Amino acid sequence: MSDGIQDKFKPAWSLQNWEAFDDVLYSALSHEHERQATGLELIASENYVSKRVLEACGSLFTNKYAEGYPGKRYYGGCTYYDQVEQYAIDLAKRLFDAQWANVQPHSGANANLAAYFALLEPGDTLMAMSLSHGGHLTHGSPVNLSGKWFKSVPYGLDVNHRIDFDQVRDRAKTHRPKLIVCGATCYPRTIDFEAFSSIAQEVDAVLMADIAHIAGLVAGKAHPSPLPHCDVVTTTTHKTLRGARGGLIMGCREDVGVKIRKAVFPGTQGGPLMHQVLGKAVCFKEALEPSFETYASQIIKNAKALAEGLMDRGFKVITDGTDNHLIWVSLLDRTTLDGREAESRLEEAGITVNKNTIPDDPRSAMITSGFRLGTAACTTRGMGESEMGAIADWIAQALSSESAEQLNRIRCEVKILCASFPIY
Ligand code: DSN
């Protein structure tokens, strides 16, 4: 590799102080920098935040407790925390056209927990997409609190791997859930929030959308908004939304907003992570820029190009394409290749993906018969449809050969591409 390319991977900030401080931490930090800079990030839930978000999350806002809410804190010295949290709330409301927003949830799982705590009693019925068809652990999985404390009724996909609305309606009428969750962690198609809303109204259920994956697409007007169709909307802030790692809850119904406020604090959390709230404010402001709409639509163009590229090279893409950032590949037709082996081989080649079960997968979640890809991170680097062709080629080559030489050759080509699209 020429020195010119090596130069492009120099850390954007000095790690010298770390080297003198601790070998283990310095090594992990510098190697992770190298991994992110020289490799292709195709995990559908990951992204690269701006330097300003990084600065916010590493700022002295980490030094302060601010239990409570703006103007009603349990600690002194919160003047600037009130300003930042209120500003973050206002920006989130503008971004998603919401009447209220709560920016304190530490994560998407915490946001969902707070929503359940606000809207359900233990033993109530919760209906959501089954984990094995693309739902999330917190959507009623038996190993999660949501499946242990509530009666969980799953719905799933039809034979074409689209949300089976007939099943959603039938099960809703049979089980009369108090809460229906729409939203997924692995679903490559547009979610029809209006259709969910009409079913929720038929059975008098509260409707919650978990838009963790597609929040950036919604903010960038590249996916229909769940508001005002849903009573409450939860999300993470770090996937397609490209912000500080954390959660957010919002909605239009004031009565629900009041319950959520109490359920986040003091119901399920203590002190908010105010450095992360600062980072969320930065991300909301960035997502309100007109350029974010271009970003959101490019994510989808790239995902469509990558899905086409993979199908052209013989891969079975579930639903034969995508409407969003996510591509779901089935390896069921490849008897000698499972999701775990695909993930590991691609990692050797400098391409990070995650193994993922496919609907009704005969293999366990640790092995799987598929993998999941997403284009939010490589779009942030500035890559476009033409780069997706090269990426599809490398994926096909890496998965057709176990040869270390071949994987090394792809690793070098990936590095050369990444050098033209620096992360910072
Ligand atoms: N871990 C997230 C994802 O990868 O989709 C869901 O929580």
Side-chain angles (χ1 to χ4, degrees), residues 93-364:
K93 282 163 59 181
R94 260 174 61 202
L95 186 61
F96 290 99
D97 219 1
Q99 293 300 311
W100 55 266
N102 190 306
V103 298
Q104 291 196 5
H106 301 328
S107 68
N110 283 66
N112 289 350
L113 176 65
Y116 300 151
F117 189 63
L119 302 166
L120 296 174
E121 296 293 331
D124 279 346
T125 301
L126 161 95
M127 198 171 119
M129 177 104 102
S130 122
L131 182 64
S132 64
H133 280 206
H136 189 247
L137 271 174
T138 59
H139 294 176
S141 159
V143 296
N144 185 262
L145 178 146
S146 58
K148 288 189 188 292
W149 286 15
F150 308 112
K151 184 174 166 243
S152 166
V153 177
Y155 60 83
L157 306 177
D158 63 19
V159 287
N160 298 314
H161 300 128
R162 311 282 176 134
I163 291 170
D164 186 342
F165 279 104
D166 291 337
Q167 186 191 62
V168 176
R169 180 173 285 99
D170 286 350
R171 292 202 175 171
K173 284 185 168 166
T174 305
H175 297 279
R176 310 295 296 190
K178 193 162 172 189
L179 183 82
I180 298 177
V181 181
C182 50
T185 195
C186 192
Y187 188 64
R189 293 296 175 178
T190 301
I191 295 177
D192 187 343
F193 297 116
E194 276 189 80
F196 273 108
S197 171
S198 108
I199 294 171
Q201 282 173 32
E202 278 181 54
V203 299
D204 206 16
V206 177
L207 182 61
M208 168 175 142
D210 176 346
I211 60 164
H213 265 265
I214 56 169
L217 307 181
V218 172
K221 300 186 172 47
H223 187 289
S225 172
L227 290 173
H229 310 293
C230 301
D231 300 299
V232 61
V233 176
T234 63
T235 184
T236 53
T237 43
H238 50 268
K239 297 187 175 91
T240 52
L241 192 51
R242 203 167 60 180
R245 189 162 288 273
L248 166 70
I249 313 179
M250 58 211 156
C252 292
R253 276 180 54 183
E254 283 305 329
D255 59 325
V256 174
V258 169
K259 287 182 183 168
I260 292 289
R261 184 179 163 94
K262 288 185 192 150
V264 173
F265 177 83
T268 53
Q269 290 191 174
L273 307 175
M274 290 307 294
H275 54 305
Q276 296 302 104
V277 172
L278 182 66
K280 289 174 199 176
V282 175
C283 134
F284 300 150
K285 169 122 187 168
E286 289 174 351
L288 280 161
E289 295 289 325
S291 60
F292 198 82
E293 288 185 23
T294 313
Y295 167 62
S297 71
Q298 188 62 49
I299 290 176
I300 297 178
K301 284 182 197 160
N302 284 352
K304 284 182 186 294
L306 185 53
E308 285 293 330
L310 290 169
M311 289 188 292
D312 288 347
R313 288 161 182 82
F315 284 93
K316 171 79 193 106
V317 169
I318 293 176
T319 76
D320 299 323
T322 181
D323 296 330
N324 57 29
H325 64 301
L326 190 148
I327 301 141
W328 198 1
V329 179
S330 169
L331 296 169
L332 214 48
D333 54 343
R334 314 228 165 176
T335 42
T336 57
L337 186 65
D338 58 44
R340 182 172 63 179
E341 171 65 17
E343 178 189 291
S344 142
R345 232 188 263 174
L346 289 170
E347 187 162 351
E348 288 289 309
I351 300 171
T352 316
V353 305
N354 69 281
K355 60 180 175 286
N356 212 100
T357 49
I358 58 167
D360 307 312
D361 201 320
R363 294 187 173 102
S364 77

Side-chain angles (χ1 to χ4, degrees), residues 19 27 52-53 58 120 128 181 186 188 217 332 367 373 381 415:
E19 193 169 10
S27 166
R52 211 180 297 274
V53 169
L120 296 174
V181 181
C186 192
L217 307 181
L332 214 48
I367 299 177
L373 304 160
R381 291 182 91 138
K415 266 191 185 178

